Amino acid sequence: MSAVATIPAAKSPKVEYFQTNNLGPVFFRLLAFGAVSLLIFLVMTLFASDPQAKRQILFSLLFAYSYFFTITSGALFWILVHHATDAEWSVVVRRVLETMAQSFRYGWVFFLPVVIFAPQVYAWLDVPVGRDPVLDPKRGMLNYPFWTLRAFVIIGGFALIAFLLRKWSAAQDRDGNPRYTVITRKLVFASIPFFALGITFAAIDWLMSLDYYWFSTMWGVYIFAGASWSAMAMLIVITVTLRKNGYLEGLVTDEHYQIMGKLLLAFTIFWAYIGFGQYFLIWYANIPEETSYFIRRNAEHWNWMSTGLVVLHFFVPFLLLLSQSLKRNPGYLRGVAVYCLVIHALDLYIIVLPALHYKDVSFHILDLAGLVMIGCTLAFFFLKNLAKFPLYPLRDPRLKQSINLKN
Amino acid sequence: MSDTLTVTNPAAASAVAEAPRTFGIAAEFSSAADLYHAAEKCRDHGFRIWDVHTPFPIHGMDEAMGLGNSKVSLIALAAACTGTVLALMLEFIPSIWLYPLVVHGKPLDFFTVPAFFPVIFEFTVLCCAFGCVFGMLALNRLPRWNHPLFNWERFAKFSDDGFFLSIEADDPKFQETRTKEFLEGIGAENITLIYE
């Protein structure tokens, strides 16, 4: 009974595809950097003699993977919000978000070593039953089969949602059937609880359980705040770059930049609010089992980084993004967004690495190599995927409102 | 006879001397779209002190009127900064310098700032909100008892189904007859001279 007539595409904007013909050098560079980083990893793995060196490899992978996992989850979050709220402004950039969210499909490969060698990373896997009275009641959650199953369900579920969202969005490009908008919304409403639980459990399983003594009820929201913040920054970087290369002409305007800048500012504040809320309650209550996380991060040079994070993750972007006219300047906005992506790496560095370098900060080449390796791989697939479908949803019912957006 | 009355009656004489000042010219338009286009023409004609009055907000009217960004944001920023500094001083000066208070063994220097943050935040937001509200009122020259436009009975329709445009006499380009002609030219109805 699908008797809905085929609706012609809106005539004003032209059908636009991302061209990869002249991107050969870019692809080559991405593959070259990725290969060099992979080589560094392999060499380090071959020559890793002591347990600490082996753990460094896994921790660097975990750090880099969580960095890109959070950004990808944030992209998925923005699509979910777009459909759930029936938003207008984000229609023109939705395909970019949809393509970003496909990264779940490729990123898990880099997480696999962490899953396989999990006992090297997560101390609770190494403690025999009955040894630690703090751990034993938590075994229901913290056991290898269930932990692995959760990782599988989270990444698989997110990948599936992202896949369906893009599939239906691209299907609408072909026939303009509004039914896709409706079924997408149904999928989105079903996905929101799954997404919320998924990112919370990912945060708890992969990051919080690095120290199984410690717990924080704000943790899932804290990771989510950083995820949606960094994803918005990534969206800005990609959109402005596309626009500067002549794509999305007449579709993405200053109004869209202003909205994206506003959301980046809003999530800067949201991150600070959640981060401070978590820190404040633990700092004030001063209960030993809660303070361990911050005591470790407020010692030696970790303290410099933690204090720096407060300034660099909140105050600096907050002040940079306050002005309305500056947010409408694409070059400026992209600069701030790149800065935000760097600071998001600092945020996750402070979360992951103190579990390995308990006493003091100790940078390792693998921390950078991990980021480059996963980043280049995901960027490669992102560009390939971006070219597969039109650059924006051609026949979305709200496309026109999105183009004629006014703040 | 009336001549003699005005001359002999002191009250009437003073009334003549203080003849009501012209506030400006107001006119009515038949629809929101007409008013929107009239506003664009007014803007292009170079009027500065003028306004439109509608029962509901019209999208894009600020652009059609050539209004820039509101100054309220600057006032709000200044008020918020004042709030932050005030709250910092109110907490640090008494609790750290004048009467050092050790609570929970927390440090007595800058790093006790998390304890003060909720108050700093709340006071910043409070001052910012005050700056917004009172800044907006001040920029709109509110509150006031009355406005000359209410002297025109028909103007009451502005909160029901009327779309009005008023050009004030203080405008440098304002000339009674020529402004009237201009308004006629852009399709206004019920062009009325408003007295204060």
Side-chain angles (χ1 to χ4, degrees):
Chain A
M1 276 298 287
S2 59
V4 181
T6 313
I7 294 163
K11 70 169 173 26
S12 38
K14 62 181 193 307
V15 179
E16 201 175 357
Y17 279 91
F18 182 66
Q19 304 296 333
T20 47
N21 304 341
N22 50 1
L23 279 187
V26 176
F27 283 131
F28 176 75
R29 249 171 270 164
L30 285 176
L31 288 177
F33 278 116
V36 168
S37 313
L38 181 65
L39 203 67
I40 296 175
F41 261 91
L42 291 178
V43 169
M44 287 289 182
T45 315
L46 280 178
F47 291 94
S49 45
D50 56 318
Q52 182 76 2
K54 284 178 188 156
R55 295 184 73 208
Q56 176 68 53
I57 297 162
L58 294 169
F59 269 84
S60 296
L61 270 181
L62 178 64
F63 157 63
Y65 180 71
S66 359
Y67 179 74
F68 288 104
F69 176 82
T70 45
I71 295 177
T72 317
S73 310
L76 183 60
F77 163 75
W78 287 112
I79 312 173
L80 295 181
V81 168
H82 165 88
H83 288 293
T85 60
D86 207 1
E88 285 171 7
W89 76 269
S90 42
V91 174
V92 290
V93 295
R94 205 181 72 211
R95 192 52 51 76
V96 175
L97 284 170
E98 283 163 359
T99 315
M100 274 167 75
Q102 301 308 313
S103 303
F104 287 119
R105 251 194 276 165
Y106 314 104
W108 64 271
V109 175
F110 301 99
F111 190 52
L112 210 55
V114 179
V115 176
I116 293 169
F117 300 103
Q120 310 258 3
V121 180
Y122 299 99
W124 47 267
L125 278 166
D126 246 1
V127 182
V129 181
R131 174 82 55 83
D132 194 335
V134 174
L135 180 58
D136 285 337
K138 296 184 181 179
R139 296 256 184 211
M141 268 283 283
L142 298 182
N143 63 77
Y144 191 61
F146 192 29
W147 182 85
T148 317
L149 177 72
R150 284 199 302 266
F152 179 76
V153 169
I154 291 166
I155 300 175
F158 283 11
L160 180 69
I161 296 168
F163 173 74
L164 286 177
L165 285 171
R166 190 185 60 161
K167 188 181 167 213
W168 290 339
S169 173
Q172 196 175 43
D173 284 353
R174 285 193 290 277
D175 60 7
N177 193 335
R179 190 176 67 96
Y180 289 115
T181 305
V182 177
I183 55 170
T184 306
R185 198 171 304 156
K186 282 179 186 156
L187 169 73
V188 160
F189 282 130
S191 310
I192 285 177
F194 178 76
F195 174 81
L197 290 173
I199 194 162
T200 307
F201 276 104
I204 292 172
D205 283 359
W206 306 342
L207 301 174
M208 195 163 98
S209 78
L210 284 169
D211 173 359
Y212 65 86
Y213 278 87
W214 185 67
F215 52 87
S216 160
T217 47
M218 305 280 274
W219 189 247
V221 191
Y222 178 77
I223 295 297
F224 160 74
S228 35
W229 185 72
S230 53
M232 185 44 71
M234 188 61 104
L235 175 66
I236 291 170
V237 173
I238 293 170
T239 313
V240 175
T241 310
L242 281 176
R243 191 74 170 69
K244 295 221 168 192
N245 285 296
Y247 295 104
L248 298 171
E249 190 90 33
L251 290 157
V252 173
T253 62
D254 288 355
E255 307 285 339
H256 294 92
Y257 295 137
Q258 195 190 335
I259 287 202
M260 291 193 274
K262 267 196 275 196
L263 285 170
L264 194 61
L265 174 65
F267 273 79
T268 306
I269 300 167
F270 180 62
W271 177 88
Y273 182 74
I274 298 300
F276 177 72
Q278 175 177 268
Y279 178 78
F280 182 61
L281 294 184
I282 291 172
W283 180 81
Y284 217 78
N286 216 0
I287 304 169
E289 63 250 48
E290 287 181 351
T291 47
S292 60
Y293 178 88
F294 287 113
I295 286 176
R296 180 179 294 191
R297 281 154 186 83
N298 285 1
E300 302 296 328
H301 290 91
W302 287 119
N303 190 29
W304 285 86
M305 290 174 79
S306 305
T307 315
L309 189 71
V310 176
V311 178
L312 300 175
H313 203 303
F314 172 62
F315 288 100
V316 172
F318 176 77
L319 293 174
L320 288 178
L321 288 166
L322 260 187
S323 158
Q324 179 187 327
S325 50
L326 284 178
K327 281 197 286 266
R328 296 171 77 96
N329 178 343
Y332 174 86
L333 190 63
R334 180 168 68 170
V336 177
V338 169
Y339 167 83
C340 291
L341 288 172
V342 173
I343 297 303
H344 182 58
L346 175 67
D347 186 16
L348 279 164
Y349 193 84
I350 295 174
I351 290 169
V352 176
L353 270 302
L356 178 67
H357 305 297
Y358 187 91
K359 290 219 172 69
D360 206 345
V361 183
S362 151
F363 292 107
H364 199 282
I365 177 94
L366 285 181
D367 298 332
L368 189 65
L371 281 182
V372 173
M373 178 171 68
I374 303 183
C376 286
T377 314
L378 295 185
F380 178 81
F381 284 112
F382 173 83
L383 294 176
K384 285 276 182 203
N385 274 328
L386 196 60
K388 274 188 195 160
F389 299 102
L391 253 185
Y392 61 94
L394 296 177
R395 301 184 195 182
D396 189 282
R398 298 209 172 266
L399 180 63
K400 199 155 184 221
Q401 279 110 313
S402 183
I403 295 170
N404 298 328
L405 178 78
K406 280 272 180 293
N407 263 296
Chain B
M1 188 172 163
S2 60
D3 280 349
T4 44
L5 251 180
T6 24
V7 172
T8 49
N9 186 341
S14 72
V16 169
E18 288 178 28
R21 217 169 69 80
T22 317
F23 167 75
I25 292 180
E28 195 182 348
F29 289 84
S30 50
S31 70
D34 285 354
L35 185 65
Y36 183 89
H37 296 304
E40 286 177 330
K41 283 171 193 149
C42 263
R43 172 195 68 191
D44 297 340
H45 194 260
F47 286 118
R48 291 184 172 281
I49 309 175
W50 60 287
D51 208 350
V52 294
H53 316 270
T54 56
F56 48 82
I58 295 172
H59 255 282
M61 185 51 103
D62 46 349
E63 209 169 282
M65 287 179 70
L67 299 175
N69 281 342
S70 166
K71 303 271 180 300
V72 173
S73 56
L74 278 179
I75 300 174
L77 180 67
C81 292
T82 315
T84 311
V85 173
L86 264 179
L88 272 169
M89 281 160 55
L90 276 171
E91 294 185 288
F92 271 94
I93 294 176
S95 307
I96 302 295
W97 294 336
L98 299 183
Y99 194 94
L101 211 56
V102 180
V103 182
H104 284 199
K106 299 286 186 272
L108 265 181
D109 55 22
F110 176 75
F111 286 97
T112 195
V113 77
F116 295 162
F117 238 88
V119 175
I120 297 172
F121 170 73
E122 296 292 347
F123 200 63
T124 306
V125 171
L126 180 74
C127 288
C128 184
F130 279 159
C132 279
V133 173
F134 293 116
M136 181 274 291
L137 289 177
L139 289 178
N140 284 325
R141 291 181 217 139
L142 287 170
R144 54 188 296 167
W145 299 115
N146 192 17
H147 194 276
L149 276 171
F150 293 124
N151 296 343
W152 183 25
E153 264 172 38
R154 203 176 165 78
F155 186 73
K157 270 157 64 80
F158 88 96
S159 64
D160 180 13
D161 60 348
F163 301 92
F164 292 93
L165 189 152
S166 65
I167 301 171
E168 294 184 21
D170 294 340
D171 193 290
K173 283 208 154 189
F174 182 88
Q175 281 166 319
E176 223 175 277
T177 44
R178 294 181 72 175
T179 306
K180 256 186 187 169
E181 281 165 20
F182 168 77
L183 284 172
E184 272 165 17
I186 61 174
E189 297 154 10
N190 299 320
I191 302 167
T192 311
L193 204 59
I194 310 283
Y195 295 103
E196 275 183 19

